[in-house]
Amino acid sequence: MEKYSIAIIEDHTLLSEAIAEVINKFDLFKVDFLCKNGAELIETLKTKSAPKIILMDVNMPIMNGIETTKWLSENYPDVYVIALTVEEDESTILKMIRAGAKGYLLKDVDKKTLEIALIKTIETGFYHSNIVVDVLVNSITGKSNTKEALKDTEIEFLKLLCSEMTYKEIANKMNLSPKTIDGYRDNLFVKLDVKNRIGLVIYAIKNKIFTC
Amino acid sequence: MEKYSIAIIEDHTLLSEAIAEVINKFDLFKVDFLCKNGAELIETLKTKSAPKIILMDVNMPIMNGIETTKWLSENYPDVYVIALTVEEDESTILKMIRAGAKGYLLKDVDKKTLEIALIKTIETGFYHSNIVVDVLVNSITGKSNTKEALKDTEIEFLKLLCSEMTYKEIANKMNLSPKTIDGYRDNLFVKLDVKNRIGLVIYAIKNKIFTC
DNA sequence: TCAAAAAAGGGTGTTTTTCCTGTCCTAGTT
DNA sequence: AACTAGGACAGGAAAAACACCCTTTTTTGA
């Protein structure tokens, strides 16, 4: 019987190579190829046929897991994307699910669980560990949703805040009037319940909008 | 011929299991046991004999890589500790080396490099990737050494900077005049080569003086 | 297609931060 | 006793950040 093909998208070479070895020992699966980021995946798919399942890291340089998953949902809707990552914060999980991930596994699962997840995904179309279910439940019961309301410009703005630029310089870089920037800031003060720029910077770092 | 025994200390189960598979394919090495953190390692060493090499993650709950390495240097000085981690910031690398690590590998190495590192460590007693050498050279040529020279009050001050307090409030909390605080700040601007409070905050977080 | 909402920009005043220069005191040196 | 270095602190000015309230332009969706 033909084994199901799998691709691993993960920037840490050793980890992806090692996981590949593990998967190749499973009866039903074999690893087809590895990529270091989303851009590389897109390149690869020009010459190779798509795998059945893609194991996707979330934090990658160049093109991260969320963007890549979104791209796959549009261009290869039949491919099952399973997130495999250390990020267990609510917003990351929600973003991946929204982007179209069919599963979400933390890197501290064991081999057996990984195999079960792969099999369930083939059989039923999805597999989610308990953490994810928790988050989803919280999310609809309204608890702690918050952050989701941030717009793209606000995200961009928050990133620029985490530098030594003044507001005037940031306005310049974003091609907006300093006054508009003032508005962005004041909105975020209210929305995120902080009092000054330092609060915004800490928020951005805490929520991985900006990574040091 | 007897293979060299290796232990892996790493909190992400899948990763340690996967790396174990990789290592078990190497001619000269076999994995003896896995632990999820330093405390578990200490427990394990009460009943099992020490391995030749320990691959050590740095970020772990309960007892992290640095503490664990320090403990090993004192209690099992013959064991080679190799750090295997994603942290590539100067201070972490220096801390691990000081704690007694004989090697420092980033998780994006490939299998071949891992094998070479293990062999070199057995043969010569150490193996360091290029990044580490860079950091060490910088460290003695004086460049970017910086942080080491920070005084206790400065550390304390940097921590307080990472809050929404004004300088006046910080001065109050430190029982010093706001003008003294001004001096602290201006000194740090020069010493750390940054232009404003945001720069100090980013520095503090980057160097783990303040953790979000 | 037109009204409502959202985004962008503006005016003005206060507070905080940043950047100077310079004094006083203490401790260690010679 | 004079000399030096560094920490604590001050005054004052200029720049940036923050606050509040208001207008114009763009988008949107009913």
Side-chain angles (χ1 to χ4, degrees):
Chain A
M1 186 204 131
E2 181 80 16
K3 288 188 174 190
Y4 295 111
S5 62
I6 294 184
I8 302 174
I9 322 299
E10 157 73 51
D11 58 325
H12 296 115
T13 312
L14 182 59
L15 180 54
S16 56
E17 285 181 346
I19 292 175
E21 302 246 4
V22 170
I23 290 176
N24 281 330
K25 289 204 174 160
F26 294 162
D27 291 337
L28 292 172
F29 305 94
K30 68 169 205 310
V31 173
D32 200 11
F33 59 89
L34 311 176
C35 294
K36 290 178 88 69
N37 56 62
E40 212 173 89
L41 172 65
I42 293 177
E43 270 312 302
T44 307
L45 286 177
K46 286 181 184 165
T47 56
K48 279 178 167 273
S49 61
K52 192 76 182 168
I53 297 179
I54 290 181
L55 286 180
M56 177 85 68
D57 190 24
V58 175
N59 277 329
M60 293 178 297
I62 304 178
M63 186 169 171
N64 70 33
I66 295 166
E67 299 169 48
T68 310
T69 304
K70 220 171 277 174
W71 184 88
L72 282 167
S73 299
E74 284 161 19
N75 297 278
Y76 292 83
D78 294 339
V79 175
Y80 296 122
V81 175
I82 299 179
L84 182 61
T85 172
V86 289
E87 316 299 323
E88 51 181 318
D89 59 285
E90 182 165 322
S91 70
T92 306
I93 293 177
L94 286 174
K95 275 186 198 154
M96 278 303 282
I97 305 278
R98 288 216 190 89
K102 304 298 183 200
Y104 198 102
L105 292 173
L106 293 180
K107 275 179 182 163
D108 65 354
V109 299
D110 55 20
K111 287 187 283 192
K112 195 65 203 160
T113 309
L114 174 62
E115 188 171 18
I116 291 171
L118 293 174
I119 293 172
K120 283 275 176 210
T121 301
I122 292 292
E123 285 176 351
T124 69
F126 69 95
Y127 174 91
H128 288 299
S129 50
N130 293 337
I131 318 126
V132 180
V133 177
D134 265 11
V135 167
L136 289 176
V137 170
N138 271 346
S139 164
I140 37 169
T141 50
K143 271 182 211 160
S144 76
N145 200 5
T146 59
K147 147 140 188 217
E148 306 313 311
L150 290 183
K151 279 157 277 185
D152 285 353
T153 45
E154 288 176 324
I155 302 276
E156 169 71 3
F157 175 57
L158 279 171
K159 281 181 190 163
L160 293 173
L161 275 179
C162 301
S163 74
E164 295 180 25
M165 282 188 278
T166 65
Y167 286 114
K168 209 181 293 178
E169 290 166 333
I170 291 174
N172 207 9
K173 181 146 264 172
M174 293 181 77
N175 291 318
L176 292 168
S177 148
K179 276 301 175 182
T180 306
I181 292 299
D182 273 6
Y184 283 18
R185 180 198 55 216
D186 294 349
N187 276 336
L188 287 173
F189 282 172
V190 175
K191 199 183 277 187
L192 305 180
D193 190 31
V194 301
K195 288 165 58 188
N196 52 33
R197 180 162 170 182
I198 308 295
L200 295 178
V201 169
I202 301 291
Y203 176 90
I205 292 170
K206 230 178 217 159
N207 290 280
K208 304 184 203 265
I209 290 167
F210 176 81
T211 40
C212 292
Chain B
M1 185 202 132
E2 180 78 18
K3 289 187 173 191
Y4 294 110
S5 61
I6 293 185
I8 302 175
I9 322 299
E10 158 72 53
D11 57 327
H12 297 115
T13 311
L14 182 59
L15 180 55
S16 56
E17 285 181 347
I19 292 175
E21 301 247 4
V22 170
I23 290 177
N24 281 331
K25 289 203 175 161
F26 294 162
D27 291 337
L28 292 172
F29 304 94
K30 67 170 207 308
V31 173
D32 200 12
F33 60 88
L34 311 176
C35 294
K36 290 179 88 70
N37 55 61
E40 211 173 90
L41 171 65
I42 293 178
E43 270 312 303
T44 308
L45 286 178
K46 285 182 184 165
T47 58
K48 281 180 166 271
S49 62
K52 191 75 181 168
I53 296 180
I54 290 181
L55 286 180
M56 177 86 66
D57 189 25
V58 175
N59 276 330
M60 292 178 298
I62 304 178
M63 187 169 172
N64 70 34
I66 295 167
E67 298 169 51
T68 310
T69 304
K70 220 172 277 176
W71 183 87
L72 282 166
S73 299
E74 284 162 19
N75 297 278
Y76 292 83
D78 294 339
V79 175
Y80 296 122
V81 174
I82 298 180
L84 182 61
T85 172
V86 289
E87 316 297 326
E88 50 180 318
D89 60 283
E90 181 164 321
S91 70
T92 306
I93 294 177
L94 287 174
K95 276 183 199 156
M96 278 302 283
I97 304 279
R98 288 215 191 90
K102 303 299 183 200
Y104 199 102
L105 291 173
L106 293 179
K107 275 178 183 164
D108 65 355
V109 298
D110 55 20
K111 286 188 283 192
K112 195 65 204 159
T113 309
L114 175 61
E115 188 172 19
I116 291 171
L118 293 175
I119 294 171
K120 283 276 177 208
T121 303
I122 293 292
E123 285 176 351
T124 69
F126 68 94
Y127 174 91
H128 288 299
S129 51
N130 293 337
I131 318 126
V132 179
V133 176
D134 265 12
V135 166
L136 289 177
V137 170
N138 272 348
S139 163
I140 36 168
T141 50
K143 268 185 213 159
S144 77
N145 197 7
T146 59
K147 148 128 187 233
E148 312 307 320
L150 291 182
K151 279 157 276 184
D152 286 352
T153 46
E154 287 175 326
I155 301 274
E156 169 71 4
F157 175 57
L158 279 171
K159 281 181 189 162
L160 293 173
L161 275 179
C162 301
S163 76
E164 296 180 25
M165 282 187 279
T166 65
Y167 287 114
K168 209 183 292 180
E169 290 167 331
I170 292 174
N172 207 9
K173 181 147 266 173
M174 292 181 78
N175 292 317
L176 291 168
S177 150
K179 281 300 179 180
T180 305
I181 293 297
D182 272 6
Y184 283 17
R185 182 198 53 218
D186 294 349
N187 276 337
L188 286 173
F189 282 171
V190 175
K191 199 183 279 189
L192 305 180
D193 190 30
V194 300
K195 288 164 57 187
N196 52 34
R197 179 163 169 181
I198 308 295
L200 295 178
V201 169
I202 300 291
Y203 176 91
I205 293 170
K206 229 179 218 160
N207 293 87
K208 302 182 202 267
I209 290 167
F210 176 81
T211 41
C212 292

